[in-house]
Amino acid sequence: MENNRKKLAIITGADGGMGTEITRAVAGAGYRVIMASCRPQKAELVRAALLKERADLQIEIRKLDLASLSSVADFANALLAEGNPISLLMNDAGTMETGLHITEDGLERTVSVNYVGHYLLTRKLLPLMGEGSRVVNMVSCTYAIGRLDFPDFFTRGRKGGFWRIPIYSNTKLALTLFTIDLAKRVKEKGIVVNAADPGIVSTDIITMHAWFDPLTDVLFRPFIRTPRQGAATAISLLLDEDAGRRTGTLSASCHAKNLSDKYIHHVQMEELWNRTEEIVSRWL
């Protein structure tokens, strides 16, 4: 543990249910953790609670709004200026918007927070990563029903009217494809990139704010995991020795899953990368 004492870990969405568990585990393993949060006051409550458990944890909070690409760039530029090597980057933050909200960058908000913001953050921080660095993207089993309609994906989340679950699924497909693509591009540098599927987790994100919430709760309760259970797969990808030996994989329940060829060689993978590069180019 001692040799991890000054290793740096960045965790987005670190004040959420799973983010808190990931922060606890990574800081507890001896890493210096930066909690990247769009809600610093909430993050401070989480930080205080974790320090109450263990006073020796090294945790700091920095503002990051993934719905603003300039905020992402500012956050990353500050780290680049400091020049400290990054050992772990956990892209955990996520949203499932209840209506169509367009960001200052002209992106549908779910798409910006779940995918484009994390894409830009990761791309900008790559110069601080090297042999042994790990990137973990929090995806979802819903990637399997996702589809990418260009250019509507970026500006509306999907072709047609707003529908939150398909849009969320589309962002998780994009993040899964980004994981596979990036893993190939940085493999020679010794950086490993993997995706974690947490299962259905009891967090704010699954609440529909609708009359059928109690019914949904009763029907799905046997399948819903606690944030700690949901975070376990991501934590294993960040910290377990064997997880550092594989890249471009998707894990669920702490085990690597076999991704079908449809995803490994997805017909839109290159187009997704190129279109995203165009969107974020001014900040790179």
Side-chain angles (χ1 to χ4, degrees), residues 117-264:
H118 280 130
Y119 179 104
L120 176 59
L121 178 66
T122 306
R123 287 278 285 108
K124 282 189 73 71
L125 294 181
L126 284 176
L128 296 175
M129 298 184 211
E131 188 74 40
S133 295
R134 303 186 192 190
V135 178
V136 177
N137 295 321
M138 190 70 83
V139 296
S140 154
C141 57
T142 62
Y143 78 89
I145 59 168
R147 55 177 295 162
L148 302 175
D149 296 313
F150 297 126
D152 303 77
F153 166 67
F154 292 103
T155 57
R156 301 187 61 79
R158 68 190 290 265
K159 193 173 271 185
F162 182 88
W163 191 6
R164 70 195 302 237
I165 294 173
I167 291 171
Y168 178 82
S169 304
N170 296 347
T171 65
K172 293 305 182 178
L173 171 60
L175 198 58
T176 301
L177 298 183
F178 174 53
T179 302
I180 297 165
D181 200 352
L182 183 67
K184 289 184 281 196
R185 293 172 188 259
V186 299
K187 192 172 185 178
E188 282 186 7
K189 294 182 180 176
I191 304 169
V192 302
V193 188
N194 292 296
D197 170 10
I200 302 171
V201 182
S202 181
T203 63
D204 292 344
I205 214 167
I206 64 168
T207 304
M208 296 294 182
H209 304 289
W211 63 268
F212 51 77
D213 270 342
L215 179 63
T216 306
D217 191 67
V218 169
L219 292 173
F220 289 103
R221 179 58 51 193
F223 309 103
I224 294 177
R225 299 177 177 186
T226 64
R228 181 165 291 186
Q229 290 168 330
T233 298
I235 291 167
S236 71
L237 286 172
L238 290 166
L239 300 178
D240 289 1
E241 198 176 330
D242 68 310
R245 299 191 192 102
R246 65 178 187 265
T247 191
T249 67
L250 170 68
S251 288
S253 300
C254 299
H255 297 290
K257 284 176 63 177
N258 285 326
L259 274 166
S260 77
D261 204 58
K262 173 185 172 183
Y263 299 105
I264 295 169

Side-chain angles (χ1 to χ4, degrees), residues 3-222:
N3 66 350
N4 285 340
R5 182 54 57 190
K6 291 177 184 173
K7 286 187 176 180
L8 179 60
I10 314 293
I11 301 170
T12 73
D15 56 50
M18 288 192 292
T20 299
E21 297 299 338
I22 295 166
T23 301
R24 176 187 281 115
V26 172
Y31 289 80
R32 179 166 75 89
V33 173
I34 293 177
M35 298 177 71
S37 172
C38 65
R39 302 169 295 191
Q41 288 174 308
K42 186 185 177 194
E44 186 50 56
L45 295 175
V46 172
R47 178 179 175 273
L50 293 175
L51 290 176
K52 200 171 179 182
E53 294 173 10
R54 267 187 65 176
D56 66 327
L57 299 181
Q58 293 188 34
I59 305 171
E60 68 171 286
I61 296 160
R62 296 195 189 183
K63 177 82 182 280
L64 171 67
D65 182 3
L66 290 156
S68 162
L69 297 184
S70 62
S71 170
V72 175
D74 289 346
F75 177 91
N77 287 338
L79 287 166
L80 289 164
E82 291 161 22
N84 297 311
I86 294 173
S87 296
L88 306 176
L89 172 59
M90 176 72 231
N91 291 321
D92 176 57
T95 185
M96 195 194 300
E97 295 295 295
T98 54
L100 181 62
H101 305 293
I102 306 299
T103 71
E104 63 194 35
D105 306 296
L107 301 170
E108 190 280 324
R109 196 171 188 277
T110 313
V111 173
S112 184
V113 173
N114 294 5
Y115 170 64
V116 180
H118 280 130
Y119 179 104
L120 176 59
L121 178 66
T122 306
R123 287 278 285 108
K124 282 189 73 71
L125 294 181
L126 284 176
L128 296 175
M129 298 184 211
E131 188 74 40
S133 295
R134 303 186 192 190
V135 178
V136 177
N137 295 321
M138 190 70 83
V139 296
S140 154
C141 57
T142 62
Y143 78 89
I145 59 168
R147 55 177 295 162
L148 302 175
D149 296 313
F150 297 126
D152 303 77
F153 166 67
F154 292 103
T155 57
R156 301 187 61 79
R158 68 190 290 265
K159 193 173 271 185
F162 182 88
W163 191 6
R164 70 195 302 237
I165 294 173
I167 291 171
Y168 178 82
S169 304
N170 296 347
T171 65
K172 293 305 182 178
L173 171 60
L175 198 58
T176 301
L177 298 183
F178 174 53
T179 302
I180 297 165
D181 200 352
L182 183 67
K184 289 184 281 196
R185 293 172 188 259
V186 299
K187 192 172 185 178
E188 282 186 7
K189 294 182 180 176
I191 304 169
V192 302
V193 188
N194 292 296
D197 170 10
I200 302 171
V201 182
S202 181
T203 63
D204 292 344
I205 214 167
I206 64 168
T207 304
M208 296 294 182
H209 304 289
W211 63 268
F212 51 77
D213 270 342
L215 179 63
T216 306
D217 191 67
V218 169
L219 292 173
F220 289 103
R221 179 58 51 193

